[in-house]
Amino acid sequence: MVPDSSTHNEKIQLLWNGFVKVALKSSFTSSLVLNLLKCLVERLYVTGKNDLLPIPTLYQMIMSHSKFLTVILDQTDEFDTAKASLIDLLTTLAHKDGSCCHTAHVAVLLGAYGANLSQTDQKILLLINLYERNGAVLSEYRPYLWGPMAIEHHSIRKNLGASLFKQASMDKVLENLNTDKLYQSVLKFPLRRKLKPLEVGDVQFLKSTEECYDPAFLLPLFSHLLAPASLVNCRMFAETNCLGFTLAALSSHDAGTRAAAYHILTRFNQHLEGAKFVEKEQFIYLLECVRNSIDTPNAKLACIITVFMAKVAQLLLKPDDHMYQVINSFLLLKPAMDVMHVPEFYKLFNSSALEYKQERSWILSLLGDGLRETADYRIFEKRYVFKLLLCFHDSAISDNHTKMQVLNIVQAACNLKTVATDLSKNHGIVAWISGAIVSSSTTPARHQQFTQILHDLWFTLLGTRERVEKETEKTSRGCLPVLFTNEMLLTMLTLLENFGEVQDTAVFDTFLETLGSVLQHLDLTKEQYQGNGYTVSIVQISTRHILLLLKMWATFASDMQLLENIKTMVEPTVSRNDQQTRPYKSVLKTTTKTNAVGDAPNLNDLSQCSTVAECTKRLLAVVLHCKLSSSNKNTAQSVNNCNLSVVQWALEQLKIFLNDTLVNCEGSPLENTSKHQETLQELLAVQNKLLRWLLSALQESSANTGVANMLTVSILLNKEAGKQIVTLLLDIYSQIYHVKGKVHAGNIEWTNDIQNAVHLVNDIVLHLLSSTSSAGNDSLFQGVLQQSSHVKALHMVQGLTSADGKDNVELVSLFIRDVCLNTQQPTHFLQCVNDARMGSLDSVTNLPVKSPKKIKRKSGTAIIAASEFSAKKSKKKASVVNI
């Protein structure tokens, strides 16, 4: 039977109408519900289907909601996401049916608008433009006011009526502008913003920030304010930086934006002729110079030139400023400016006047603000700007303020890929930074600046803003030159050694992010070279570098015990004062920050706590690239103790992360929670890398000649540290099986990750057990291996792990559990071995590779569960294999 289509449509109509009413009534402030409504509207309201709730009715239901004004007029962050989702929903409905766009709605939209480049404000501007295209009369609201002032203005209009109401004057509109904010908008003008945008643009793509004003709104507003019939306050227009904002628009990539800026300058020049204020003639001459400097219509000027003109427009209103006379003398020299060179660079930078510091500071400030594109860099190169600046920074006549300005210019250059590449190839910028670090004073501000420069330079040259540590696969893109990457790492380590104390967690996090990315990129480079048959030498990060990082981390985390342990371990090493221990002096060179009550991290500050946690994760990733320092017979104990402290800290942090994640996951099945799965998978990946790093360090130290070089022996000799490391390993072991018990058995990828982790822990513990047995000193395992049964069981386990190169995971796990519980005999292990040997096998070393059915791998049981299973078997069978 074919269902009746009309009945089906009626059901959809009833369901949709009921859902809309319930959603708007109960979840109007929920961004998820509003986004769901938007998606359903796009799917359900198709051309030809008019049986659903009419769009104008739905639009009116939203506009008349009791919480509509609360959400859309919100100026805080409380309803920020809901406001953006609400604007998206209104825009979708307006696109579907333009008849719902009424002129009366414009006042509310202007009250919700902030004239910024934020995503929400860009969406509101697109919605206002959509209203205009659908016939709404916007001329009633000109000149536009926005934000709280618009709400107040239109409230008065509603009370007085159209006959008594007066339109807003130019002074009132300009008062709504923030002068300082507009000046920052001049310096960070959105170069890629179009005059008539068709979509919401990302501020990074626009080359600006969200706090800057939107030229797509302000430029048409300026054009209306400067209409021929308007009464214009020309001095106020220049004083509020509106003239400077218009001049900055001449650098826009959009031809329409530049044309609008030239149009506004023309109207402003016409009003200047009839204006009356002191600086009138100077502004007329400035605009005449701009006109004479342009050769082609609608020409695009470099940012360094437009920023210069915007700064000059401000200086003309400050006759008491020293630069007023200097800049006026420059303007009066010629009727036009050379827009292909930095204005007055040589004269101001090499000034011989008594106020030379002020003149030099002004031109350096101009260079830092004006370097925004490759075109600006080409203008700089014509005057050899960077060669002069880099040399001047290292000279004796450069003071701290000037050095900071030079570093600001370098930092601006490092954000442009073409410029950063040229500086690296032709100016040796990385080597220069390394030398500047050594010669600079160790102040927190200087450390922050160098850290940010290296961060911007590295990630700009890397070609992407995505962090390398998030890459889980080899990428096909080519690596950076290995010499450059090695030089970058050496510079990072130089910065670490010369600035041993940081007071800001955000700076420390940025440093760790850059260092981890460089180390990972070096590993990727090495793999690619080796894959092509080449041998490459890379720089290694050593134990003393990790100790410096641990010292900073302990300061931020208020871990006074770790600070004391580092000091206790390093002092004996430094006291020898030989060639091998001398580098460790940098760990004690800086004074340890005393964490008073006011300096301790605020645990109630979630942002600070999250930053410390992020630093811990990044530092843990850096530790995985550490090359543990070797030692000779004289420095064996002290250097190896430093190595042990690094291993112990890494295991402790891994245990904490796993424990916190498992606690957060309690009460919800992991296989149904994608967020928990992603978190645990990332932790398992880090865990396996850490365990593989530890196993490699143990095996490498065992391969070295001489007992004093063995990290394994140092673990055995240092009883306290060794026991702590073993305890941490076993705790992690238990957590691994806890995760295994909660993960869905059918997830093969998860099973492999956990199985690899079990293998790695087995290998590490068995390595320590074998070393303990060979050394004859069983203090690490509390004398368990002095019993013959455990020694013979150890030989059996070694046979299990070596048979066919495969590992009987459950059997080895049971043996390790028996050793850790300090049992008299490995009863559970022997019971399972007995069950496995019920066949025709004569020796344990020939056990089948597959686990017996009684020891199910896929069950995901923990060690304790496996032992309970074998205990039940032992009650049924009284005979136990005797060794």
Side-chain angles (χ1 to χ4, degrees):
M1 175 181 284
V2 180
D4 189 0
S5 60
S6 61
T7 305
H8 180 67
N9 292 337
E10 290 177 359
K11 289 182 179 180
I12 295 179
Q13 181 180 359
L14 291 175
L15 290 174
W16 170 248
N17 295 347
F19 173 73
V20 169
K21 293 178 181 178
V22 173
L24 294 179
K25 181 179 180 180
S26 60
S27 303
F28 192 82
T29 60
S30 173
S31 60
L32 295 177
V33 174
L34 294 175
N35 288 332
L36 177 61
L37 284 173
K38 170 181 170 294
C39 296
L40 292 176
V41 166
E42 292 175 345
R43 294 294 185 91
L44 294 177
Y45 288 90
V46 186
T47 304
K49 290 188 177 182
N50 298 319
D51 51 347
L52 298 176
L53 184 69
I55 289 181
T57 304
L58 177 57
Y59 200 93
Q60 188 61 33
M61 289 173 62
I62 297 173
M63 297 287 289
S64 60
H65 196 279
S66 59
K67 295 183 179 180
F68 175 76
L69 294 179
T70 304
V71 175
I72 202 168
L73 297 180
D74 178 57
Q75 300 294 330
T76 63
D77 297 335
E78 183 179 359
F79 299 110
D80 192 20
T81 55
K83 181 178 179 179
S85 302
L86 180 59
I87 296 299
D88 288 337
L89 177 58
L90 294 177
T91 304
T92 303
L93 292 173
H95 274 297
K96 292 290 183 179
D97 190 348
S99 62
C100 54
C101 299
H102 300 296
T103 306
H105 300 162
V106 177
V108 179
L109 296 178
L110 288 174
Y113 187 54
N116 300 326
L117 286 173
S118 63
Q119 298 286 310
T120 303
D121 283 344
Q122 291 187 54
K123 293 176 182 178
I124 294 176
L125 184 60
L126 288 176
L127 183 58
I128 293 175
N129 292 336
L130 184 60
Y131 265 73
E132 188 176 20
R133 291 199 300 269
N134 288 324
V137 182
L138 301 185
S139 58
E140 298 180 6
Y141 300 94
R142 292 174 181 169
Y144 300 126
L145 290 172
W146 62 94
M149 187 173 287
I151 299 173
E152 179 184 355
H153 182 75
H154 295 297
S155 298
I156 297 174
R157 175 184 179 181
K158 184 177 181 181
N159 295 331
L160 296 178
S163 58
L164 299 177
F165 179 75
K166 293 183 179 181
Q167 292 290 349
S169 63
M170 176 181 180
D171 292 353
K172 191 170 184 178
V173 174
L174 295 183
E175 287 175 1
N176 203 20
L177 290 169
N178 188 319
T179 305
D180 295 333
K181 183 178 177 180
L182 195 57
Y183 180 71
Q184 292 300 320
S185 302
V186 172
L187 302 182
K188 298 292 182 183
F189 188 88
L191 301 176
R192 294 174 178 167
R193 179 68 167 165
K194 294 184 178 181
L195 184 64
K196 295 182 179 180
L198 301 177
E199 59 183 3
V200 177
D202 181 69
V203 288
Q204 290 186 354
F205 172 77
L206 299 177
K207 293 189 174 184
S208 186
T209 59
E210 290 189 352
E211 292 76 21
C212 293
Y213 282 113
D214 190 354
F217 176 76
L218 286 191
L219 292 181
L221 176 62
F222 292 166
S223 177
H224 179 77
L225 292 176
L226 297 175
S230 301
L231 183 62
V232 177
N233 187 342
C234 294
R235 194 181 196 283
M236 188 176 183
F237 187 82
E239 193 175 17
T240 54
N241 289 314
C242 296
L243 178 59
F245 188 83
T246 307
L247 290 169
L250 300 180
S251 299
S252 175
H253 295 183
D254 180 45
T257 302
R258 296 197 304 272
Y262 283 116
H263 166 72
I264 294 170
L265 292 177
T266 302
R267 284 193 168 186
F268 182 70
N269 192 30
Q270 293 172 355
H271 282 284
L272 278 176
E273 295 176 356
K276 293 181 180 181
F277 64 102
V278 178
E279 300 86 0
K280 166 188 171 181
E281 298 298 332
Q282 290 172 290
F283 277 101
I284 293 177
Y285 182 76
L286 174 63
L287 295 181
E288 190 68 24
C289 284
V290 174
R291 178 186 299 170
N292 296 336
S293 304
I294 297 171
D295 298 330
T296 58
N298 204 21
K300 178 185 180 301
L301 300 180
C303 293
I304 184 65
I305 303 300
T306 57
V307 171
F308 172 78
M309 291 188 297
K311 287 179 177 286
V312 169
Q314 282 295 303
L315 274 177
L316 294 181
L317 299 172
K318 301 175 182 178
D320 56 336
D321 196 310
H322 169 72
M323 297 303 300
Y324 176 86
Q325 181 179 357
V326 177
I327 297 301
N328 269 286
S329 300
F330 165 72
L331 293 176
L332 295 174
L333 286 176
K334 297 179 181 178
M337 291 185 297
D338 186 356
V339 295
M340 299 309 295
H341 291 85
V342 180
E344 291 292 86
F345 171 68
Y346 288 140
K347 179 181 178 181
L348 297 179
F349 185 73
N350 301 315
S351 175
S352 59
L354 293 176
E355 297 83 0
Y356 70 94
K357 287 187 177 181
Q358 185 176 354
E359 295 180 4
R360 183 181 293 150
S361 177
W362 192 90
I363 191 64
L364 290 179
S365 176
L366 173 65
L367 296 176
D369 296 333
L371 181 56
R372 301 193 60 198
E373 293 186 296
T374 308
D376 303 310
Y377 178 71
R378 295 195 185 102
I379 294 177
F380 281 29
E381 286 296 274
K382 291 182 179 179
R383 296 291 186 184
Y384 306 100
V385 171
F386 273 96
K387 291 184 179 179
L388 290 173
L389 293 182
L390 298 183
C391 294
F392 182 78
H393 179 278
D394 299 333
S395 66
I397 61 175
S398 177
D399 56 6
N400 287 331
H401 178 70
T402 307
K403 288 181 178 180
M404 293 291 284
Q405 287 187 304
V406 173
L407 291 178
N408 286 333
I409 299 171
V410 173
Q411 182 178 345
C414 290
N415 284 295
L416 305 172
K417 188 170 184 179
T418 306
V419 179
T421 303
D422 187 72
L423 288 176
S424 301
K425 289 182 177 180
N426 301 325
H427 293 272
I429 190 65
V430 179
W432 178 86
I433 294 173
S434 180
I437 291 171
V438 175
S439 61
S440 297
S441 57
T442 57
T443 60
R446 195 64 56 85
H447 180 274
Q448 178 179 358
Q449 200 161 24
F450 280 122
T451 301
Q452 195 62 45
I453 288 173
L454 291 172
H455 175 272
D456 294 343
L457 176 64
W458 173 254
F459 285 108
T460 300
L461 291 177
L462 204 58
T464 176
R465 285 292 174 180
E466 294 178 359
R467 303 302 181 242
V468 178
E469 53 264 24
K470 294 184 179 179
E471 296 179 4
T472 56
E473 300 178 353
K474 284 187 178 181
T475 55
S476 58
R477 60 177 175 81
C479 294
L480 293 173
V482 65
L483 293 178
F484 170 80
T485 312
N486 275 331
E487 190 177 20
M488 190 75 185
L489 179 56
L490 288 174
T491 305
M492 295 292 297
L493 298 180
T494 303
L495 179 61
L496 175 63
E497 293 176 355
N498 285 270
F499 295 85
E501 188 170 331
V502 186
Q503 298 179 356
D504 189 359
T505 53
V507 177
F508 186 50
D509 181 63
T510 303
F511 179 85
L512 289 176
E513 181 185 17
T514 311
L515 181 59
S517 177
V518 173
L519 289 170
Q520 184 161 356
H521 193 78
L522 269 177
D523 287 347
L524 179 62
T525 304
K526 185 178 180 181
E527 291 178 6
Q528 289 193 358
Y529 271 87
Q530 290 178 347
N532 294 329
Y534 297 99
T535 303
V536 61
S537 176
I538 62 175
V539 179
Q540 297 284 350
I541 183 170
S542 64
T543 304
R544 64 186 177 89
H545 298 126
I546 300 299
L547 289 177
L548 282 169
L549 293 172
L550 286 180
K551 183 180 176 182
M552 297 182 192
W553 178 88
T555 303
F556 294 124
S558 295
D559 194 341
M560 302 305 296
Q561 184 62 40
L562 179 58
L563 285 173
E564 188 63 29
N565 292 341
I566 293 175
K567 183 178 179 181
T568 304
M569 286 182 295
V570 173
E571 282 181 345
T573 307
V574 176
S575 62
R576 298 183 180 274
N577 198 25
D578 57 10
Q579 184 176 1
Q580 187 176 13
T581 61
R582 196 171 295 119
Y584 284 84
K585 289 184 178 180
S586 58
V587 180
L588 299 177
K589 184 175 64 173
T590 57
T591 57
T592 304
K593 178 183 177 182
T594 56
N595 279 11
V597 177
D599 296 332
N602 184 9
L603 298 180
N604 295 324
D605 189 352
L606 298 179
S607 60
Q608 187 170 358
C609 292
S610 61
T611 305
V612 173
E614 192 67 26
C615 289
T616 307
K617 294 179 182 179
R618 297 191 193 281
L619 181 53
L620 195 59
V622 172
V623 169
L624 300 181
H625 298 86
C626 172
K627 175 72 173 179
L628 295 179
S629 302
S630 59
S631 58
N632 53 36
K633 294 182 179 181
N634 296 327
T635 63
Q637 183 176 359
S638 54
V639 174
N640 284 332
N641 284 343
C642 295
N643 293 335
L644 289 179
S645 65
V646 174
V647 173
Q648 183 178 344
W649 179 87
L651 292 176
E652 285 177 352
Q653 298 309 313
L654 178 61
K655 173 189 171 183
I656 292 173
F657 280 132
L658 284 172
N659 184 65
D660 291 344
T661 305
L662 290 174
V663 169
N664 294 332
C665 293
E666 288 296 334
S668 60
L670 296 180
E671 61 270 19
N672 298 331
T673 309
S674 58
K675 181 179 180 180
H676 293 159
Q677 283 189 356
E678 293 176 0
T679 304
L680 275 177
Q681 278 185 318
E682 291 178 0
L683 279 176
L684 284 175
V686 174
Q687 171 188 264
N688 289 348
K689 289 180 181 179
L690 176 61
L691 295 175
R692 197 174 292 112
W693 167 78
L694 178 57
L695 180 61
S696 175
L698 291 171
Q699 292 174 346
E700 182 180 356
S701 63
S702 297
N704 293 334
T705 59
V707 177
N709 289 334
M710 294 176 59
L711 177 63
T712 306
V713 174
S714 64
I715 293 177
L716 301 180
L717 294 179
N718 193 326
K719 298 180 181 179
E720 183 178 356
K723 289 179 181 179
Q724 290 178 353
I725 290 176
V726 171
T727 303
L728 288 170
L729 282 170
L730 297 176
D731 290 342
I732 294 173
Y733 209 26
S734 176
Q735 290 172 337
I736 292 172
Y737 270 92
H738 186 55
V739 174
K740 185 177 180 181
K742 296 179 74 64
V743 173
H744 194 269
N747 195 331
I748 300 176
E749 182 180 358
W750 274 70
T751 305
N752 291 338
D753 291 340
I754 298 175
Q755 203 78 341
N756 291 335
V758 175
H759 274 279
L760 289 169
V761 179
N762 285 346
D763 291 342
I764 293 172
V765 176
L766 289 179
H767 179 86
L768 294 176
L769 284 169
S770 301
S771 302
T772 302
S773 178
S774 302
N777 181 8
D778 194 19
S779 59
L780 186 63
F781 293 95
Q782 301 177 359
V784 171
L785 294 183
Q786 293 179 2
Q787 304 175 19
S788 59
S789 58
H790 284 85
V791 176
K792 293 181 179 180
L794 177 60
H795 294 317
M796 296 175 67
V797 171
Q798 291 173 344
L800 289 174
T801 55
S802 62
D804 298 330
K806 297 184 179 180
D807 188 2
N808 292 271
V809 180
E810 300 293 346
L811 292 176
V812 177
S813 301
L814 285 175
F815 170 73
I816 292 176
R817 176 189 176 276
D818 287 334
V819 171
C820 299
L821 291 179
N822 195 13
T823 57
Q824 295 296 325
Q825 285 191 353
T827 308
H828 301 132
F829 169 73
L830 296 177
Q831 178 62 54
C832 291
V833 172
N834 183 51
D835 293 339
R837 295 176 61 187
M838 292 300 292
S840 60
L841 297 174
D842 296 328
S843 64
V844 180
T845 56
N846 293 325
L847 285 172
V849 173
K850 294 184 179 180
S851 300
K853 295 182 180 180
K854 298 179 182 179
I855 307 176
K856 299 181 180 180
R857 287 190 178 186
K858 64 181 181 179
S859 62
T861 55
I863 303 177
I864 298 177
S867 63
E868 291 176 353
F869 169 77
S870 60
K872 292 180 181 179
K873 292 289 295 181
S874 61
K875 292 181 180 179
K876 296 181 180 180
K877 297 183 179 181
S879 61
V880 179
V881 177
N882 294 322
I883 300 178

